[in-house]
Structures are given as C-alpha cells and as structure tokens.
Amino acid sequence: MEVLDGLALGLQTALSFNNLFYCLVGVFLGTAIGVLPGLGPAATIAMLLPATFALPPVSALIMLAGIFYGAQYGGSTTAILVNVPGETSSVVTALDGYQMARQGKAGRALATAAIASFFAGTVCTFLIALFAPPLTEVALKFGPPEYFSLMVLGLVASIVLASGSILHALGMIVIGLLLGCVGTDVNVGTQRFTFGYLELADGINFVVVAMGMFGIGEIISNLEHEGKRDLTIKKITGLFPTREDWKRLVPPMLRGTALGSVLGILPGGGAALASFGSYALEKKVSRYKSELGKGAIEGVAGPEAANNAGAQMSFIPMLTLGIPANPVMALMIGAMIIQGIQPGPGVIKEQPQLFWGVIASMWVGNIMLLILNLPLIGLWVRMISVPYHYLYPAILAFCSIGALSLSNAPFDLYLLALFGFLGYVFKKLDCEPAPLLLGFILGPMMEEYLRRALLLSKGDATVLVTRPISLTMLIMAAGLLLLVMLPAFSKTREVAFQEEAV
Amino acid sequence: MARTRVSMPAVSRVVAASFDAVEPRMPNWISSPRDFWTGLIYVLLGSGAFWIALDYPLGTVGRMGPGYFPRVLALILVGIGMMALIRAFVLDSGEVTHLAWKPLLMICGAIVLYGILVQTAGLVVALTVLLTLGAAASRYTRFDLKSIAGMVVLIAFCVLVFVKGLGLPIPTVGPWLQPLFMAVGIRV
C-alpha cells in the first residue's frame, strides 16, 4: 500500500495552509492570464516563473502546476466565448463550444468544460499515483546509455505527435541542443559560444528563452494579425447543465478521459492529439454525431476531458524520468533545477514530499478550478473583453521585470529581445518554438549522459545499441521518424490535425 | 493627444525596402520559399556553430572534449538545413508572407531600451519608454487620456509591487536622474 501511504503524505503536504494558498494563487493567476486571448499555458508559466523562485521547492512546483491547470482551463474559456483558442489543444473545444455560446448556451458549455476537466483530472491523479512509482523503479535501473537513448526518443516523439513540419521541428531541436551548449563546459571548464560575454558563462537562462519564444514572439505575431475581436457573449446565464445535458455529456467524457490518459502517457505527450482524437472518436461513435460542429455538448465534453487527461498524464515522464513531454513540463523541469532538485527517478526517494505533494495538489487544484471558475465566470468574461492593445503592454512590462529579476542583469533583456525576434521569425517559417525549448532543457543532460556512456564503454559507440533497453528506445525513435515520413501516415497525421480544425 | 509616431520611419522603411527586394518574388525555381529560408537559416547557423566549435578541443569518442557534442550537432543541423533546401525545389508550400517589421522592431527595440535604461535611468523612465514604444506597435493604440492614465497606474503598480513590495533590487529613479532630483532638493 505504498501508493496509499504516498497519497496520504501528498495530501498532508498539499493541504498545508501554505501550499493550499499557493495552489489557489496559482490556479487563480493561471486562469486569469490563461483567459487572455493569445497567451497559452507555456507563455503564462514563463511569465510567472520568476515569481516562484523565492518559494520553497514544493510550494513553487505546486503553484506552477496550479498555473498550468488554470491556464489550460482559461484557454478553453476563451475558446468557447470568443472562438480564439489559446493553444492547439483547445482548437477543438472552440468548434462546438463557440457554437453553443452563440446559441445562448455559453454557461452550459463552460460548465461542461469544467466538469469534464475535473473528472479527467481526478481520474488521472489516481492513474499517476498508481503508475509513477513502478515506472520510477524501472528508470532507476537505467544507465547513461539508456538515458541518452530515452532522451532521443522523447525528443523525437515530441515532434511526431505535434503539428507542423517534421523536418523544421528536427532542426529546431538541434538548435535548442546547441543553445544548451552555451556557457561553461562542466567537465573541462571551456567557455563555449559565450562570445566573450561573462553573462553567458552560466549559460542562457531557460526563462529568457521561453519568455522570448512564447511570450514576446507571440505578441509580435498577434500584432501582425491584429483584428477587432467580437465578444458575442456579454452575460452568461444558465450555468448548470440540464438533466438532458448530463445524460449526453457523461459518455463522451468517459471516452475522452480514457483516450487522453493513453495518449498522454506516451513520451512526447499528446494533449493536442488527444483532443483531436476524441473529437474524431465522437464523430464516429456518438449518437448525436450529426450535431457535432453545430454546438453539440459532446464536442465540448469529450475533447475537454481528453485534453485535460493528456495534459495531466504528461506529468508522469516529467516526475519519473525527468523527461519533458511538452514545453510546460520543460519549464517545470527548469524550475526544479533552479530549486536545486535533480529531476529524474531519484525524486520519489529523495523528495517524497515534493513528489506526492505535487500529485495530490493536482486533485486539489482541479477542485479549486471547479469551485473558483463557475462563480468567477463573470470576471473572466470581463478580462476577455479587454482589448488586446491594452493587454500586451502590461504583458511586456511583466516579462521585462521578470527577466531582469532572474539575475539582475540587463543582458538578459537583450537576450529576451533576441529570442522574441527569433521566435517570431521561426513561427513565420512554420518552425515551432516548442521543440527548441525541449532541446534546450535536455541538451546539457544529453551531452553529459552521452559522455558518460562512452567513457564507461571506453569509446565504444556500439554501447548504445548493444544494451537492449537502449536499443529498443533508439529503434522506437527511428521507427517513429520513418513512420511519419511514410506518405500514407503523414497524410493521416495532417488530416488528424487539420480536418477538424477548419 | 495626437497619436505619437514613435516608429522609426526612415530606418524601418529602408530595412523593409531592402527586404522587399529579396523576399516576395522568389525566383520560380524555388517552389517552397518556407523551406528555402528555413534551410538557409539552418545551414548558416550550423556552419557558424561548427566554425566556432573548431576552437574547442575535440577529444576522442571515449573522452569527449568540449568541442565534440557541438560539432556533431552543428553537422546534423547543416544536414537538416540541406534537406530543407533540397525540398525547397521539390515541394510547393506557397508564399511566405512579409515579416511584420514594424511590430517586430518596435517590440524588440522597446525591450532593449528598457534593458539599457532600467538600471541607469530607473524603473519609472524605463517602463515609460517600454510601454510607449511597445504600445505604439499596435495600430489600435491611441495615446489618449485613458491610455496614459492606464500607463501611470501600471507603472505605479509595478513600482509598488516589485520594488517596494517584493524588494527587487531595481532603482525607481536611477543614477542618471538623481542629480536632477538633488538639484531641486528631493532625496530619492
């Protein structure tokens, strides 16, 4: 009953007054910023990260996790009310959610999203508690070659399950890995790619990269396509789903949760894929499939459950292996490193409070979302209706102050501007920023594991393919890459991401 | 107050014009400009990184020097860039739209100016510049009373919360302006 002991410890940690408070602050801030159109969870977390550095590690991670669920939920709210999905995973919610809103059923759509997310979140909290410890046991047997191959697999998987050009994404990963090399080499002390700047000796701060690529780049991109948003919904009434609604929302919610949990545990994660998949599934099996796209409650309940389940399951590789499945998890790993915690399978033994505290706080956070959101919907609506040109200068100000607070060096602001520039240009060329960030976070660890693996094997590079686990992972990575290059699959993948999005 | 044109008309026009000359009408043997530009950037970045990494000791496979990993990565990047370049002549991905130079330069410039000013002229001046230049990047921004009031409130909020409340070591009024305040007898 190790799991129960763990959960008890976790609840005890998560329910302490301080942590409850930080969880609430996180959920509230996350939702408040997440509802702002054009700000996804990654940008929200990057912006608020510096605020958590002063907290003890457990509280910091609980607050960050809270920001994550909040931002995710806030994104759905925006998708439903203004048809502006903050990120790929809420694109699907916008389809039927916005139609429901236009038919005057905005309240019920929002409540459905909240209920489905809460249900999926609860199920996944328990799944994580069940699956994380055994996975950690396996991971503890990993040596440097296995870790290296696992990271290769994680990086490859993250782009296969994402949208956009695979070739461009591969390049972004490599650029990220190269950026990770910047700074003092850990073994010999050589200054790499510092161009003589002392400020670069410790490497580039990941907050600056994330803020620049996701926050600033996104602002520039939004300004390019700036248009008047029309908020059709001024007042939300009828929050509670009717008896009929309940009957219709439960089956898709169950299916969405199941699908999201399976897809989410894959390395690379798939909150977006899960929500697209769930919508496709509903189109096939739902009794009301003819109504999908015209404001069917199934089109909100299924994808919302799936996307929340997928998002939450991505905590599993993060907590057990130290491998980020998406940019948000990459930021969490970065935050752990800053807090002095070595991410990986050691966390559960060395930091049981943190490990179980974060898991338990997921459930607590999901309850808070449910309680907080329904009464506060009026406030969120008012926040959404603030025009973008009033909002983004404030975001600029907070990002700039946040970047300065990292090490009190104006140099970080020049880097922030540079990454904002790059983020915008790359986005223009269909190069997603997410793989770059994953590569950047994993780069130093990958190099270290590769060096150690080859040092132990006395320079025999075949060690990566003679150890069975390592070989399996490399084959899986190669297989995934080959698979997406096959014309048949790449067509399906394109369809999966685009058909419903139109 | 009339809308302040803080954009750098001359500079941005020159830059935009020079870009115009290269970008919009790609020669028609390049069927996928998106792949072309990506490939070009990847190849340039990769070869640049490789060239710089030549200065770091390579070591051997068993004892990798600091130059090993970056050089391998740089080569992979060049390879990916080449593939994208080849694709640029094969695939058809449609035109790439112009870069929006105005918001791009104004937002990045505003952040750089903030970086220069924040520890020298202080947070208040730096934020004023950041917000004014940043806000001017939107075509909907009007510098009317309401916006200015909003800016004043935001700056006051930042000073109160971040400097007074959280105690970040950022000067509200920086060394550049202190003589000015001293002259009128106010101690900051």
Side-chain angles (χ1 to χ4, degrees):
Chain A
M1 287 292 94
E2 203 186 328
V3 172
L4 287 184
D5 288 345
L7 273 180
L9 174 69
L11 277 176
Q12 207 181 334
T13 315
L15 291 179
S16 79
F17 179 75
N18 271 339
N19 290 336
L20 271 180
F21 174 75
Y22 288 120
C23 188
L24 184 69
V25 172
V27 167
F28 180 79
L29 283 180
T31 317
I33 298 179
V35 292
L36 305 179
L39 265 181
T44 310
I45 292 198
M47 195 167 108
L48 294 174
L49 251 175
T52 66
F53 290 159
L55 304 178
V58 185
S59 311
L61 281 177
I62 285 180
M63 181 166 156
L64 284 173
I67 295 173
F68 176 42
Y69 323 129
Q72 191 102 19
Y73 183 77
S76 319
T77 310
T78 322
I80 290 172
L81 292 181
V82 269
N83 202 12
V84 181
E87 31 140 15
T88 20
S89 62
S90 47
V91 168
V92 189
T93 312
L95 296 176
D96 278 85
Y98 184 62
Q99 291 305 324
M100 282 183 78
R102 284 184 51 186
Q103 295 159 13
K105 293 189 275 190
R108 275 146 71 190
L110 288 168
T112 305
I115 293 161
S117 300
F118 172 73
F119 176 78
T122 310
V123 172
C124 286
T125 304
F126 286 104
L127 286 179
I128 294 174
L130 272 178
F131 284 114
L135 204 61
T136 316
E137 295 291 317
V138 178
L140 278 173
K141 298 198 179 80
F142 285 11
E146 281 80 18
Y147 262 105
F148 177 78
S149 306
L150 178 66
M151 288 178 182
V152 173
L153 175 61
L155 286 175
V156 168
S158 75
I159 57 176
V160 173
L161 295 182
S163 55
S165 159
I166 296 275
L167 190 66
H168 293 193
L170 276 175
M172 292 302 273
I173 289 184
V174 180
I175 295 179
L177 292 170
L178 273 169
L179 284 171
C181 292
V182 174
T184 313
D185 172 71
V186 278
N187 292 4
V188 204
T190 314
Q191 303 273 313
R192 295 193 293 189
F193 303 109
T194 56
F195 303 96
Y197 289 107
L198 271 182
E199 289 92 338
L200 285 176
D202 286 336
I204 302 169
N205 195 308
F206 74 101
V207 179
V208 174
V209 180
M211 247 185 209
M213 301 283 282
F214 290 101
I216 308 295
E218 203 65 26
I219 289 181
I220 300 170
S221 175
N222 287 338
L223 285 175
E224 180 183 1
H225 308 290
E226 206 181 4
K228 291 269 187 223
R229 279 197 319 269
D230 60 321
L231 184 67
T232 23
I233 295 84
K234 291 278 183 288
K235 199 147 177 63
I236 311 261
T237 47
L239 267 179
F240 284 93
T242 59
R243 185 185 285 265
E244 165 75 9
D245 287 347
W246 276 106
K247 234 187 262 164
R248 287 180 57 176
L249 77 79
V250 170
M253 180 172 87
L254 293 173
R255 288 191 284 260
T257 307
L259 190 68
S261 328
V262 175
L263 288 175
I265 200 168
L266 297 174
L273 194 70
S275 61
F276 282 99
S278 156
Y279 197 77
L281 185 69
E282 290 312 312
K283 263 189 160 170
K284 288 225 165 63
V285 302
S286 172
R287 251 200 290 164
Y288 304 89
K289 56 186 160 210
S290 57
E291 284 175 44
L292 278 173
K294 296 173 204 138
I297 200 164
E298 289 80 9
V300 176
E304 270 304 294
N307 121 30
N308 207 43
Q312 204 144 333
M313 291 304 263
S314 60
F315 272 90
I316 290 191
M318 194 279 278
L319 282 172
T320 56
L321 307 169
I323 303 275
N326 54 42
V328 171
M329 290 303 129
L331 289 170
M332 298 279 255
I333 287 186
M336 273 173 134
I337 296 175
I338 286 196
Q339 295 277 3
I341 296 166
Q342 175 66 38
V347 173
I348 188 172
K349 287 260 147 41
E350 286 148 31
Q351 308 272 349
Q353 259 207 331
L354 178 117
F355 184 89
W356 292 107
V358 169
I359 291 180
S361 85
M362 292 174 181
W363 192 60
V364 178
N366 274 301
I367 298 183
M368 280 182 183
L369 266 183
L370 196 63
I371 304 178
L372 195 69
N373 277 310
L374 298 180
L376 284 183
I377 273 172
L379 178 67
W380 306 144
V381 173
R382 228 171 305 150
M383 287 205 66
I384 296 177
S385 46
V386 177
Y388 191 67
H389 61 275
Y390 286 125
L391 279 178
Y392 81 87
I395 301 170
L396 271 182
F398 294 143
C399 281
S400 302
I401 293 176
L404 185 71
S405 74
L406 296 173
S407 50
N408 214 19
F411 191 81
D412 280 335
L413 287 154
Y414 310 147
L415 284 179
L416 181 67
L418 177 70
F419 282 108
F421 188 98
L422 288 178
Y424 168 71
V425 173
F426 277 132
K427 204 176 148 74
K428 212 58 190 172
L429 293 172
D430 194 23
C431 302
E432 298 281 324
L436 184 143
L437 189 71
L438 298 191
F440 177 72
I441 298 265
L442 286 180
M445 293 190 246
M446 252 179 117
E447 181 179 12
E448 194 45 39
Y449 284 122
L450 182 64
R451 276 183 173 183
R452 241 187 271 165
L454 292 176
L455 186 69
L456 292 174
S457 76
K458 304 200 174 60
D460 182 11
T462 56
V463 68
L464 294 174
V465 288
T466 46
R467 308 212 357 178
I469 301 181
S470 167
L471 177 68
T472 316
M473 285 189 283
L474 286 179
I475 289 179
M476 278 165 74
L480 276 176
L481 266 184
L482 280 178
L483 198 64
V484 286
M485 282 172 189
L486 289 180
F489 182 83
S490 63
K491 215 172 271 165
T492 332
R493 175 173 170 268
E494 237 161 69
V495 172
F497 278 110
Q498 277 161 14
E499 188 198 49
E500 285 95 4
V502 178
Chain B
M1 191 170 153
R3 179 167 181 208
T4 344
R5 282 309 224 144
V6 211
S7 66
M8 307 134 271
V11 182
S12 66
R13 217 175 301 141
V14 171
V15 176
S18 70
F19 198 70
D20 275 358
V22 213
E23 201 253 353
R25 286 281 141 248
M26 300 286 295
N28 30 11
W29 37 271
I30 295 178
S31 53
S32 169
R34 196 168 282 156
D35 279 306
F36 176 77
W37 289 112
T38 309
L40 195 69
I41 294 177
Y42 286 0
V43 169
L44 289 179
L45 278 179
S47 25
F50 189 80
W51 186 65
I52 297 173
L54 283 179
D55 286 347
Y56 314 134
L58 184 64
T60 61
V61 181
R63 236 169 237 290
M64 285 187 193
Y68 203 102
F69 197 58
R71 273 193 238 183
V72 172
L73 290 177
L75 285 181
I76 297 177
L77 187 59
V78 172
I80 294 174
M82 299 274 214
M83 280 164 77
L85 280 178
I86 295 172
R87 242 177 36 165
F89 306 108
V90 188
L91 276 188
D92 188 0
S93 75
E95 291 282 307
V96 183
T97 48
H98 281 285
L99 288 183
W101 284 104
K102 189 186 148 194
L104 180 58
L105 293 179
M106 286 172 87
I107 298 287
C108 295
I111 297 172
V112 170
L113 281 178
Y114 171 89
I116 295 171
L117 290 171
V118 70
Q119 289 182 336
T120 48
L123 186 62
V124 174
V125 175
L127 277 179
T128 311
V129 172
L130 175 78
L131 292 173
T132 314
L133 189 55
S138 163
R139 70 185 79 133
Y140 295 112
T141 301
R142 300 282 173 273
F143 287 96
D144 50 15
L145 204 62
K146 198 174 151 198
S147 321
I148 293 173
M151 190 165 92
V152 171
V153 171
L154 182 61
I155 295 177
F157 173 85
C158 288
V159 169
L160 285 177
V161 171
F162 296 110
V163 181
K164 305 282 180 241
L166 294 174
L168 294 183
I170 307 173
T172 311
V173 173
W176 282 5
L177 297 185
Q178 269 170 10
L180 214 77
F181 280 79
M182 301 282 238
V184 280
I186 305 172
R187 186 178 302 177
V188 213

